[in-house]
């Protein structure tokens, strides 16, 4: 619990997508595919300032629909969705020997975080540990101590 305070994390409240009833099932599925293509395949999540508004503009829709689709199909919000992808990449980089000399800030920057605090807070929120602790744990487990 102390760590949650340290990284300024609050418990998640359950939200119902307010606009989900405005999006037909067919449109919901089409937008889901388009969101995955833009965010995941095109790796837009690595762009520090890529917003839901930019995504909506590129998909020729609006942010309410984007929010509804992400909420219904991915059970989260836009920011958490993007941060989960970033943290997944960061976890891989942190245990990859090729990136062992990079600082936490450099890893965070590579995966799209604009500052150390948001990287650490998101990493802790998703994994339950700091990036440094995650790297150290894996170095010890794999016998790769520096």
């Amino acid at each position: 619990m102390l760590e949650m305070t340290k990284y300024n994390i609050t418990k998640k409240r359950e939200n119902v997508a307010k606009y989900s009833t405005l999006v037909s099932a067919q449109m919901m599925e089409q937008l889901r595919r388009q969101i995955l293509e833009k965010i995941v395949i095109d790796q837009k999540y690595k762009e520090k300032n890529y917003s839901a508004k930019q995504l909506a503009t590129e998909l020729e829709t609006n942010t309410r629909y984007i929010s509804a689709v992400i909420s219904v199909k991915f059970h989260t919000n836009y920011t958490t969705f993007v941060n989960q992808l970033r943290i997944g990449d960061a976890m891989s980089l942190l245990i990859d020997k090729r990136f062992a000399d990079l600082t936490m800030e450099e890893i965070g920057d590579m995966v799209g975080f604009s500052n150390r605090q948001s990287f650490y807070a998101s990493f802790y929120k998703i994994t339950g540990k700091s990036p440094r602790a995650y790297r150290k744990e894996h170095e010890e487990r794999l016998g790769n101590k520096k």
Side-chain angles (χ1 to χ4, degrees):
M1 191 62 159
L2 176 62
E3 291 290 319
M4 287 183 73
T5 307
K6 179 178 175 183
Y7 295 119
N8 197 24
I9 297 171
T10 55
K11 290 234 184 243
K12 184 178 175 186
R13 295 180 284 136
E14 286 298 317
N15 271 346
V16 176
K18 296 176 182 95
Y19 302 96
S20 61
T21 57
L22 299 177
V23 184
S24 70
Q26 182 180 355
M27 181 185 231
M28 179 98 43
E29 184 55 30
Q30 178 184 353
L31 281 172
R32 182 193 70 78
R33 283 193 309 275
Q34 290 175 320
I35 289 167
L36 286 173
E37 184 174 325
K38 280 284 179 202
I39 299 293
V40 180
I41 295 170
D42 295 348
Q43 295 189 345
K44 293 288 189 177
Y45 67 90
K46 289 185 178 182
E47 295 180 18
K48 290 173 180 56
N49 299 313
Y50 192 74
S51 66
K53 185 174 183 177
Q54 287 173 282
L55 176 61
T57 300
E58 289 183 22
L59 298 183
E60 298 177 350
T61 189
N62 63 58
T63 56
R64 288 178 279 195
Y65 286 6
I66 296 293
S67 294
V69 171
I70 290 175
S71 178
V72 171
K73 294 294 185 177
F74 304 108
H75 311 288
T76 191
N77 61 44
Y78 176 82
T79 303
T80 302
F81 178 66
V82 167
N83 285 345
Q84 287 171 339
L85 295 168
R86 290 173 174 169
I87 297 304
D89 274 4
M91 290 168 72
S92 296
L93 294 174
L94 286 166
I95 62 172
D96 189 322
K97 290 178 185 179
R98 295 172 295 176
F99 302 102
D101 292 334
L102 294 182
T103 66
M104 298 302 132
E105 289 77 12
E106 290 169 325
I107 298 281
D109 186 64
M110 284 177 70
V111 299
F113 286 98
S114 55
N115 62 61
R116 180 183 186 275
Q117 174 63 24
S118 61
F119 174 50
Y120 268 70
S122 294
F123 198 97
Y124 184 84
K125 183 177 181 181
I126 291 169
T127 67
K129 55 189 79 166
S130 73
R132 196 170 309 285
Y134 180 83
R135 177 182 262 174
K136 184 176 181 180
E137 175 184 296
H138 283 80
E139 286 173 349
E140 290 170 356
R141 190 169 57 91
L142 298 171
N144 298 334
K145 286 188 177 180
K146 282 189 182 179

